[in-house]
């Protein structure tokens, strides 16, 4: 027999000298050992990848991720191997099935644990885009909340500024309208409010005097608005609102790069839904079947080992 087969037999925990006497069982136990080995291997990879985000940015983050990945893989390997060896093959079929249930449940659990970090890697581009959108939305929501809180705290100052601004806009519109009427009066355009006599007469002089008064008051309003805006801006600076800015593309990329495992796991879950809240069946099915792909081989292996014929190794 090849060294690979013998290695997988060791993984399956069988007595090799006895197994060599039953050639018909070689493939079965090679498959079981391979399943146990690759379960540990994938657990090591996924655990190391997950822990890389936990230690990301720290000293020796990659080394810590490798060490933890190896420890996690060995733990899963030994747990899986123990369950396989602990099944009593001398029991009846029903008893073997009952013995197999904990292994099947554990196989599903381990499959999900292993598949999740690998799903994070498979959907990395989609996760990064989802995180960008979420971080940008969170920043805008934070700014909106700060502005809303500020407006409530300084309601009088904000209301005064709005009132002056409304009055200024109304006065500007009135001055523009009066300026048009004055031009009509000077150039002799007949309307319900103009004489129709061309020239700079008494009525035109009166209109111009009214315009100068309105323009003088408009300047006063503008000065008040500037003063009020500066006062509010100082209060905004004191409250830290001016320090809050919408994240740029570079800032978003930096935030996504340092996002932890929890943020990425949450983003992976969000891929199941579109922006309108409806389920995205394509993404949901992809995530689901990747998880199933890791669970099925393990459950199948557990069934083969638990429900095999009596007397097998």
């Amino acid at each position: 027999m090849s060294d690979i087969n013998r290695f997988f037999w060791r993984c399956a925990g069988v007595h090799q000298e006895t197994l060599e006497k039953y050639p018909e069982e070689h493939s079965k136990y090679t498959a079981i050992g391979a399943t146990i080995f690759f379960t540990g291997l994938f657990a090591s990879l996924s655990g190391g990848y997950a822990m890389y985000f936990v230690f990301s940015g720290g000293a020796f983050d990659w080394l810590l991720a490798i060490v933890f990945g190896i420890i996690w893989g060995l733990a899963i390997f030994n747990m899986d191997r123990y369950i396989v060896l602990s099944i009593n093959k001398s029991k009846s079929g029903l008893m073997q099935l009952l013995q197999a249930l904990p292994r099947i449940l554990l196989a599903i659990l381990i499959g999900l644990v292993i598949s999740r970090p690998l799903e994070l890697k498979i959907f990395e581009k989609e996760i990064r885009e989802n995180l960008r959108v979420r971080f940008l939305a969170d920043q805008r929501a934070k700014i909106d909340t700060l502005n809303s809180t500020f407006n409530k705290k300084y309601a009088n100052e904000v209301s005064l500024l709005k009132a002056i601004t409304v009055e200024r806009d109304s006065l500007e519109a009135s001055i523009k309208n009066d300026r048009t009427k004055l031009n009509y009066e000077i150039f002799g355009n007949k309307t319900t409010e103009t004489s129709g006599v061309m020239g700079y007469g008494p009525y035109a002089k009166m209109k111009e005097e009214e315009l100068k008064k309105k323009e003088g008051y408009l300047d006063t309003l503008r000065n008040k608005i500037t003063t009020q805006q500066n006062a509010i801006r100082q209060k905004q600076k004191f409250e830290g609102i001016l320090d809050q800015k919408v994240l740029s593309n570079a800032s978003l990329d930096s935030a996504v790069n340092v996002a932890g495992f929890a943020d990425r796991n949450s983003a992976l879950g969000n891929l199941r839904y579109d922006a309108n809240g409806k389920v995205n069946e394509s993404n949901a099915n992809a995530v689901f079947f990747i998880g199933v792909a890791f669970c099925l081989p393990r459950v199948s292996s557990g069934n083969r080992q638990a429900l095999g014929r009596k007397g097998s190794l």
Side-chain angles (χ1 to χ4, degrees):
M1 296 302 298
S2 67
D3 292 337
I4 295 179
N5 286 341
R6 294 182 182 278
F7 172 74
F8 287 144
W9 291 352
R10 292 192 187 96
C11 293
V14 299
H15 190 267
Q16 295 188 32
E17 288 74 11
T18 304
L19 180 59
E20 289 177 352
K21 300 177 182 179
Y22 301 93
E24 67 276 11
E25 297 288 340
H26 289 181
S27 298
K28 172 184 175 180
Y29 285 96
T30 298
I32 292 174
T35 301
I36 296 174
F37 170 77
F38 284 108
T39 295
L41 177 62
F42 282 122
S44 181
L45 292 175
S46 62
Y49 182 72
M51 293 308 295
Y52 175 77
F53 291 107
V54 175
F55 299 112
S56 181
F60 305 107
D61 48 1
W62 60 271
L63 181 60
L64 292 173
I66 291 175
V67 171
F68 179 85
I70 293 174
I71 294 174
W72 177 249
L74 290 175
I76 296 297
F77 174 85
N78 283 312
M79 184 185 301
D80 203 20
R81 190 168 182 263
Y82 171 76
I83 293 176
V84 170
L85 295 176
S86 64
I87 296 175
N88 190 343
K89 305 300 291 183
S90 64
K91 298 290 185 179
S92 65
L94 179 60
M95 290 302 298
Q96 289 186 39
L97 177 60
L98 293 176
Q99 285 183 324
L101 286 179
R103 170 171 167 73
I104 294 172
L105 294 176
L106 183 61
I108 295 174
L109 178 60
I110 293 176
L112 294 176
V113 172
I114 293 174
S115 66
R116 198 62 174 181
L118 298 180
E119 288 171 356
L120 294 177
K121 184 61 178 177
I122 293 172
F123 294 99
E124 184 175 12
K125 292 182 179 180
E126 292 79 3
I127 289 173
R128 289 182 64 88
E129 185 60 30
N130 186 277
L131 287 174
R132 284 173 60 90
V133 172
R134 196 183 84 189
F135 288 162
L136 185 59
D138 289 346
Q139 181 67 10
R140 287 174 174 171
K142 181 180 180 180
I143 293 174
D144 291 341
T145 300
L146 288 174
N147 286 329
S148 177
T149 303
F150 178 87
N151 290 338
K152 291 179 180 179
K153 184 176 181 179
Y154 299 98
N156 293 334
E157 290 83 349
V158 174
S159 297
L160 178 59
L161 177 60
K162 289 182 178 179
I164 299 174
T165 302
V166 170
E167 186 178 3
R168 180 204 63 187
D169 295 340
S170 177
L171 185 58
E172 286 179 344
S174 177
I175 290 174
K176 183 178 180 180
N177 186 46
D178 289 347
R179 177 66 64 184
T180 301
K181 293 177 181 179
L182 177 60
N183 291 333
Y184 283 170
E185 179 66 28
I186 293 174
F187 293 104
N189 295 327
K190 177 64 177 176
T191 66
T192 56
E193 298 182 11
T194 59
S195 63
V197 179
M198 185 172 64
Y200 189 72
Y203 185 75
K205 291 180 181 179
M206 182 185 67
K207 283 292 183 183
E208 188 171 26
E209 288 297 325
E210 291 178 357
L211 275 174
K212 288 182 179 179
K213 291 180 181 179
K214 288 184 176 180
E215 288 173 346
Y217 184 57
L218 178 61
D219 290 337
T220 301
L221 289 178
R222 287 171 175 169
N223 291 332
K224 287 183 178 179
I225 289 174
T226 301
T227 301
Q228 190 68 11
Q229 286 177 336
N230 290 335
I232 291 177
R233 190 172 290 107
Q234 289 297 322
K235 289 181 172 62
Q236 288 176 329
K237 184 177 181 180
F238 176 77
E239 297 290 342
I241 293 179
L242 298 182
D243 296 331
Q244 302 295 328
K245 298 180 181 179
V246 176
L247 296 175
S248 63
N249 288 332
S251 298
L252 282 173
D253 289 337
S254 178
V256 170
N257 289 336
V258 298
F261 183 83
D263 286 329
R264 292 176 182 273
N265 186 58
S266 176
L268 178 59
N270 292 337
L271 293 181
R272 299 173 182 269
Y273 305 96
D274 293 325
N276 56 11
K278 293 184 178 180
V279 176
N280 186 317
E281 294 185 1
S282 177
N283 289 344
N285 290 337
V287 174
F288 172 76
F289 284 114
I290 289 176
V292 171
F294 280 92
C295 292
L296 282 181
R298 298 183 41 71
V299 174
S300 176
S301 174
N303 287 335
R304 288 196 306 269
Q305 176 70 359
L307 302 178
R309 69 174 185 270
K310 293 182 180 181
S312 59
L313 299 175

